Amino acid sequence: DVKVTQSSRYLVKRTGEKVFLECVQDMDHENMFWYRQDPGLGLRLIYFSYDVKMKEKGDIPEGYSVSREKKERFSLILESASTNQTSMYLCASRPSGESWNEQFFGPGTRLTVL
Amino acid sequence: AQSVTQPDIHITVSEGASLELRCNYSYGATPYLFWYVQSPGQGLQLLLKYFSGDTLVQGIKGFEAEFKRSQSSFNLRKPSVHWSDAAEYFCAVGAGGGADGLTFGKGTHLIIQP
């Protein structure tokens, strides 16, 4: 069974803290993605990666960075958390090849920044 | 750049009634189109996808969608809804090639009345 796991379901951090959100997939997928989900806004792409140590900015990369040192792991980093980064964060992975391949999503991490 | 519009934020349907969720997209070439469902507290699950071929696509859980190029639409339908269909539904479009992420609509919240 395919699986994308995220390190935490709920996380509470303080303004200015450095925050790491971890995502691991066990499907040997080349492509991995980070989205944030906000009510009334749907999902918006933050960053994606198509290979180890490769990354590309999505639609809303400001305030975030990413790291992909191993194929199965893709980390989202909030260098200095702010209250407007309170959100649900979803990780996804997809094999390379045709873009119509399904993206597999993790359960999400609900981050609250106080 | 591609975009997706889901004009209905909330839809209420009686159990056993038929359902149609609307999705309009904007994209210059042949789009890759997806419908995902998110049940409360869960990650996103793919219902169905379209890239080419037959414009009527069958998915899981009894859902289907029809691609209409002339109307730039990809509406989701189900002939008879069940209480377990209550969820958030997202339409998404992907561009061709590479590791690109998906562009999501803002979602439609489906409420099932007994």
Side-chain angles (χ1 to χ4, degrees):
Chain A
D1 196 16
V2 297
K3 206 147 196 179
V4 179
T5 57
Q6 296 182 230
S7 51
S8 305
R9 292 300 300 271
Y10 300 94
L11 209 53
V12 179
K13 295 293 182 181
R14 297 212 174 270
T15 300
E17 280 193 76
K18 189 169 186 176
V19 181
F20 292 86
L21 303 183
E22 305 287 342
C23 175
V24 177
Q25 51 97 1
D26 65 359
M27 298 166 280
D28 201 35
H29 287 169
E30 288 78 12
N31 305 313
M32 297 188 73
F33 307 84
W34 275 106
Y35 296 87
R36 64 176 282 176
Q37 182 181 8
D38 300 289
L41 295 179
L43 279 76
R44 292 176 291 167
L45 182 64
I46 305 172
Y47 267 97
F48 63 95
S49 168
Y50 53 89
D51 202 351
V52 174
K53 296 191 184 297
M54 306 302 289
K55 60 186 179 183
E56 294 285 344
K57 293 179 180 179
D59 299 319
I60 52 164
E62 296 79 18
Y64 303 94
S65 61
V66 290
S67 172
R68 192 161 181 208
E69 296 296 318
K70 293 185 177 181
K71 188 176 185 180
E72 67 271 18
R73 187 179 298 270
F74 191 35
S75 301
L76 180 70
I77 303 158
L78 287 65
E79 295 289 342
S80 177
S82 64
T83 55
N84 63 13
Q85 292 178 309
T86 291
S87 186
M88 170 71 88
Y89 291 88
L90 293 168
C91 175
S93 72
R94 195 193 77 203
S96 63
E98 292 294 335
S99 288
W100 55 268
N101 283 342
E102 175 181 354
Q103 287 194 17
F104 295 87
F105 283 83
T109 295
R110 186 168 294 282
L111 172 67
T112 301
V113 182
L114 301 175
Chain B
Q2 63 262 34
S3 66
V4 176
T5 301
Q6 293 180 247
D8 304 303
I9 299 173
H10 301 279
I11 281 189
T12 301
V13 177
S14 297
E15 190 168 14
S18 64
L19 170 71
E20 183 170 33
L21 301 183
R22 296 183 290 165
C23 172
N24 292 97
Y25 69 90
S26 173
Y27 183 63
T30 299
Y32 301 76
L33 294 163
F34 306 81
W35 273 101
Y36 281 86
V37 60
Q38 185 180 36
S39 298
Q42 304 295 314
L44 273 72
Q45 180 183 23
L46 182 71
L47 286 175
L48 45 79
K49 61 190 177 188
Y50 171 80
F51 170 52
S52 65
D54 192 348
T55 56
L56 186 61
V57 180
Q58 301 298 319
I60 63 171
K61 304 185 180 187
F63 286 92
E64 66 177 28
E66 186 171 12
F67 171 63
K68 292 185 177 180
R69 185 186 299 276
S70 61
Q71 298 177 18
S72 297
S73 70
F74 188 56
N75 294 348
L76 182 71
R77 301 194 294 247
K78 188 171 184 177
S80 176
V81 298
H82 185 261
W83 63 266
S84 60
D85 293 324
E88 192 85 15
Y89 290 79
F90 293 96
C91 182
V93 62
D100 54 291
L102 299 176
T103 298
F104 284 82
K106 295 181 179 181
T108 296
H109 184 58
L110 176 63
I111 300 165
I112 307 295
Q113 280 184 335

